[in-house]
Amino acid sequence: MSIQRKIIHIDCDCFFAAVEMRDNPAWRDIPLAVGGQPGQRGVIATCNYEARRYGVHSAMPSSLALRRCPALLIVPPDFARYKQASLAVQAIYHRYSELIEPLSLDEAYLDVSGQPHCHGSASLMAAEIRAAIRDEVGITASAGIAPNKFLAKIASDWNKPDGQWLIRPQDVAAFVETLPVEKIWGVGAVTAAKLKAQGLHSCGDLQRLPLLEMLQRFGKFGKTLYDLSRGIDHRAVEPARERKSVSVEETYSRDLPDLASCEAELAPLLTRLAQRLQRIGTPAFRGLSVKIKFADFSQTTVELAGQTLAADVFQQLLHTGFARGNKPVRLLGVGVRLREDSPAAQQLPLFEEGLP
């Protein structure tokens, strides 16, 4: 008989901002964000909970963040310090399991199934990990404990900040039944609106649809919706995964109507891509790409050899891709393909998850 999986998802609270507040105590009680400056079309990477009370959030243009919170202090990112804090957090993880799948500098999955620590209690292990992060690294973290990755990630957000939430195997059915569709991995604001337009507001609503109908309505994504709406997720925690590319993308709440509006969104995407590459040590890459998903869900990706983040090259790729559909756009993405000899190709998977 197979062992019931015990998965912990750890998510450090407002990580970049937390490190800044740790190192600058005078910033602890003021609205604080880490990101680019508004005059440079900067975006917010993360912000503390004081800033979130004003409606500031990550990926928001810095200019809009300042309009919502004029007292907001925006500081530039210091990835060297963030990486140092991340390594200290990861060292704590390794005391409890070697099955660790980092998702970024500030969050990771741990499979603690069958581990002897804390008499095998995943909840107690999560509490000890969080206490060690607080005492040794000087920041707080939240945790979710569940039988699979999907539910553990949701649970880690259930009692933020500096808390944890447990979903036991016997609680899964009741938990997911009322779960809003927005909580399903891969369902963003646009997809959620489409689901709700069909009367599908919760996982319980999705459960009433048979698999065949799900596939007919949503294509391959229908199988994902079918499983996750029932709390089913068989993905294993993967300690090492070869990374072949690094990318960022954005699904827009309103379709971009023409090429000019797509061009206007290119600079913020390239800024985020540059930040992501810097976060993982500016790896060597050999190709550039632009991904476009049109309003009718058709999709195209255009690639070209290149070793620098040249805005004019990305603009050329955008023009080529847009001409293939020549219709409103719901998603734009930019990325680079790593060289096989790049050390980052063997590092952690730091992709941003796209939306369907």
Coordinates of all heavy atoms in Angstrom, one line a residue, residues 158 175-184 187-189 191-209 214 217-218 225 229:
W158 N -4.2 30.6 3.0 CA -5.4 30.6 3.7 C -5.3 31.4 5.0 O -6.3 31.9 5.5 CB -5.9 29.2 4.0 CG -7.4 29.0 3.8 CD1 -8.3 28.7 4.8 CD2 -8.1 29.0 2.6 NE1 -9.5 28.6 4.3 CE2 -9.5 28.7 2.9 CE3 -7.8 29.2 1.2 CZ2 -10.5 28.7 1.9 CZ3 -8.8 29.2 0.3 CH2 -10.1 28.9 0.6
F175 N -13.7 20.7 1.4 CA -12.9 21.9 1.1 C -13.1 22.4 -0.3 O -13.3 23.6 -0.5 CB -11.4 21.6 1.5 CG -10.6 22.8 1.3 CD1 -10.4 23.8 2.3 CD2 -9.9 23.1 0.1 CE1 -9.6 24.9 2.1 CE2 -9.1 24.2 -0.1 CZ -8.9 25.1 0.9
V176 N -12.9 21.5 -1.3 CA -12.9 22.0 -2.7 C -14.3 22.3 -3.2 O -14.5 23.1 -4.1 CB -12.2 20.9 -3.6 CG1 -10.8 20.7 -3.2 CG2 -13.0 19.6 -3.6
E177 N -15.3 21.7 -2.6 CA -16.7 21.9 -3.1 C -17.1 23.4 -3.2 O -17.7 23.8 -4.1 CB -17.7 21.2 -2.2 CG -19.1 21.2 -2.8 CD -20.1 20.4 -2.0 OE1 -19.7 19.9 -0.9 OE2 -21.2 20.2 -2.5
T178 N -16.7 24.2 -2.2 CA -17.1 25.6 -2.2 C -15.9 26.5 -2.6 O -16.1 27.7 -2.6 CB -17.5 26.0 -0.7 OG1 -16.4 25.8 0.2 CG2 -18.7 25.3 -0.3
L179 N -14.8 25.9 -3.1 CA -13.7 26.7 -3.5 C -14.0 27.5 -4.8 O -14.4 26.9 -5.8 CB -12.5 25.7 -3.7 CG -11.1 26.3 -3.8 CD1 -10.7 26.9 -2.4 CD2 -10.1 25.3 -4.2
P180 N -13.8 28.8 -4.8 CA -14.0 29.6 -6.0 C -13.2 29.1 -7.2 O -12.0 28.7 -6.9 CB -13.7 31.0 -5.6 CG -13.7 31.0 -4.1 CD -13.3 29.6 -3.7
V181 N -13.7 29.2 -8.4 CA -12.9 28.7 -9.5 C -11.6 29.5 -9.7 O -10.6 29.0 -10.2 CB -13.7 28.8 -10.8 CG1 -14.9 27.9 -10.8 CG2 -14.2 30.3 -11.1
E182 N -11.5 30.7 -9.1 CA -10.3 31.5 -9.2 C -9.1 30.8 -8.5 O -7.9 31.1 -8.8 CB -10.4 32.9 -8.6 CG -11.4 33.8 -9.4 CD -12.8 33.7 -8.8 OE1 -13.2 32.7 -8.3 OE2 -13.5 34.7 -8.9
K183 N -9.4 30.0 -7.6 CA -8.3 29.3 -6.8 C -7.7 28.1 -7.6 O -6.7 27.6 -7.2 CB -8.9 28.8 -5.5 CG -9.3 29.9 -4.5 CD -8.1 30.7 -4.0 CE -8.5 31.7 -3.0 NZ -7.4 32.5 -2.5
I184 N -8.3 27.7 -8.7 CA -7.7 26.6 -9.5 C -6.5 27.1 -10.2 O -6.5 28.1 -10.9 CB -8.8 26.1 -10.4 CG1 -10.0 25.5 -9.7 CG2 -8.2 25.0 -11.3 CD1 -11.1 25.0 -10.6
V187 N -6.3 29.2 -13.7 CA -7.5 30.1 -13.9 C -7.3 31.5 -13.4 O -7.2 31.7 -12.2 CB -8.8 29.4 -13.2 CG1 -10.0 30.4 -13.3 CG2 -9.1 28.1 -13.7
G188 N -7.1 32.4 -14.4 CA -6.9 33.8 -14.0 C -8.2 34.5 -14.1 O -9.3 33.9 -14.3
A189 N -8.2 35.8 -14.1 CA -9.4 36.7 -14.0 C -10.2 36.5 -15.3 O -11.5 36.4 -15.2 CB -9.0 38.1 -13.9
T191 N -10.3 33.9 -17.5 CA -10.9 32.6 -17.6 C -12.0 32.4 -16.5 O -13.0 31.8 -16.8 CB -9.8 31.5 -17.4 OG1 -8.7 31.7 -18.3 CG2 -10.4 30.1 -17.5
A192 N -11.7 33.0 -15.3 CA -12.8 32.9 -14.3 C -14.1 33.6 -14.7 O -15.2 33.0 -14.5 CB -12.3 33.5 -13.0
A193 N -13.9 34.7 -15.4 CA -15.1 35.4 -15.9 C -15.9 34.6 -16.9 O -17.1 34.5 -16.9 CB -14.7 36.7 -16.5
K194 N -15.1 33.9 -17.8 CA -15.8 33.0 -18.8 C -16.5 31.8 -18.1 O -17.6 31.4 -18.6 CB -14.7 32.5 -19.8 CG -14.1 33.6 -20.7 CD -13.1 33.1 -21.6 CE -12.5 34.2 -22.5 NZ -13.4 34.9 -23.3
L195 N -15.8 31.3 -17.1 CA -16.5 30.2 -16.4 C -17.8 30.6 -15.7 O -18.8 29.9 -15.8 CB -15.5 29.6 -15.4 CG -14.3 28.8 -15.9 CD1 -13.3 28.5 -14.8 CD2 -14.7 27.5 -16.6
K196 N -17.7 31.8 -15.1 CA -18.9 32.3 -14.3 C -20.0 32.6 -15.3 O -21.2 32.5 -14.9 CB -18.5 33.5 -13.5 CG -17.6 33.1 -12.3 CD -17.1 34.3 -11.5 CE -16.3 33.9 -10.4 NZ -15.8 35.1 -9.6
A197 N -19.6 33.1 -16.5 CA -20.6 33.4 -17.5 C -21.4 32.1 -17.9 O -22.6 32.2 -18.4 CB -20.0 34.0 -18.7
Q198 N -20.8 30.9 -17.7 CA -21.5 29.7 -17.9 C -22.1 29.1 -16.7 O -22.5 27.9 -16.6 CB -20.5 28.7 -18.5 CG -19.8 29.1 -19.8 CD -18.9 28.1 -20.4 OE1 -19.1 26.9 -20.5 NE2 -17.7 28.6 -20.8
G199 N -22.2 29.9 -15.6 CA -22.8 29.4 -14.3 C -21.8 28.6 -13.5 O -22.3 27.9 -12.6
L200 N -20.5 28.6 -13.8 CA -19.6 27.8 -13.0 C -18.8 28.7 -12.1 O -17.7 29.3 -12.5 CB -18.6 27.1 -14.0 CG -19.4 26.2 -15.1 CD1 -18.4 25.7 -16.1 CD2 -20.1 25.1 -14.4
H201 N -19.2 28.8 -10.9 CA -18.6 29.7 -9.9 C -17.7 29.0 -8.9 O -16.8 29.7 -8.4 CB -19.7 30.5 -9.1 CG -20.6 31.3 -10.0 ND1 -20.4 32.6 -10.2 CD2 -21.7 31.0 -10.7 CE1 -21.3 33.1 -11.0 NE2 -22.1 32.2 -11.3
S202 N -17.9 27.8 -8.7 CA -17.1 27.0 -7.7 C -16.7 25.7 -8.2 O -17.2 25.2 -9.3 CB -18.0 26.8 -6.4 OG -19.0 25.9 -6.7
C203 N -15.8 25.0 -7.5 CA -15.4 23.7 -7.9 C -16.6 22.7 -7.8 O -16.7 21.8 -8.6 CB -14.3 23.2 -6.9 SG -12.7 24.0 -7.2
G204 N -17.5 23.0 -6.9 CA -18.7 22.2 -6.8 C -19.5 22.3 -8.1 O -20.1 21.3 -8.6
D205 N -19.6 23.5 -8.7 CA -20.3 23.6 -10.0 C -19.6 22.8 -11.1 O -20.2 22.2 -11.9 CB -20.3 25.1 -10.4 CG -21.2 25.9 -9.4 OD1 -22.1 25.4 -8.9 OD2 -20.8 27.1 -9.3
L206 N -18.2 22.9 -11.1 CA -17.5 22.1 -12.1 C -17.7 20.6 -11.9 O -17.7 19.9 -12.9 CB -16.0 22.5 -12.0 CG -15.6 23.9 -12.5 CD1 -14.2 24.2 -12.1 CD2 -15.8 24.0 -14.0
Q207 N -17.8 20.2 -10.7 CA -18.0 18.7 -10.4 C -19.2 18.2 -11.1 O -19.3 16.9 -11.3 CB -18.0 18.5 -8.9 CG -16.6 18.7 -8.3 CD -16.7 18.5 -6.8 OE1 -17.7 18.0 -6.2 NE2 -15.7 19.1 -6.0
R208 N -20.2 19.0 -11.4 CA -21.5 18.5 -11.9 C -21.3 18.2 -13.4 O -22.2 17.6 -14.0 CB -22.6 19.5 -11.7 CG -23.0 19.6 -10.2 CD -24.3 20.3 -10.1 NE -24.2 21.7 -10.2 CZ -23.9 22.6 -9.2 NH1 -23.7 22.1 -8.0 NH2 -23.7 23.9 -9.4
L209 N -20.2 18.6 -14.0 CA -20.0 18.4 -15.5 C -19.2 17.1 -15.7 O -18.2 16.9 -15.1 CB -19.3 19.5 -16.1 CG -19.9 20.9 -16.1 CD1 -19.1 21.9 -16.8 CD2 -21.3 20.9 -16.7
M214 N -16.6 18.5 -20.2 CA -15.5 19.4 -19.8 C -14.5 19.5 -21.0 O -14.0 20.5 -21.3 CB -14.7 18.9 -18.6 CG -15.6 18.8 -17.3 SD -15.8 20.5 -16.6 CE -14.3 20.5 -15.5
R217 N -16.0 21.5 -23.8 CA -16.1 22.9 -23.6 C -14.7 23.6 -23.5 O -14.5 24.7 -24.0 CB -16.8 23.2 -22.2 CG -18.3 22.9 -22.2 CD -18.9 23.6 -21.0 NE -20.2 23.2 -20.7 CZ -21.0 23.8 -19.8 NH1 -20.6 24.8 -19.2 NH2 -22.3 23.3 -19.6
F218 N -13.7 22.9 -22.9 CA -12.5 23.6 -22.6 C -11.2 22.9 -23.2 O -10.1 23.3 -22.9 CB -12.3 23.6 -21.1 CG -13.5 24.2 -20.3 CD1 -14.3 23.4 -19.5 CD2 -13.9 25.5 -20.5 CE1 -15.4 23.9 -18.9 CE2 -15.0 26.0 -19.8 CZ -15.8 25.2 -19.0
L225 N -9.3 21.0 -15.2 CA -10.4 21.5 -14.4 C -11.1 20.3 -13.7 O -11.5 20.4 -12.6 CB -11.3 22.3 -15.3 CG -10.9 23.6 -15.8 CD1 -11.9 24.2 -16.8 CD2 -10.6 24.6 -14.6
S229 N -10.8 20.4 -9.7 CA -12.1 20.7 -9.0 C -12.5 19.6 -8.0 O -13.3 19.9 -7.1 CB -13.2 20.9 -10.0 OG -13.5 19.7 -10.7

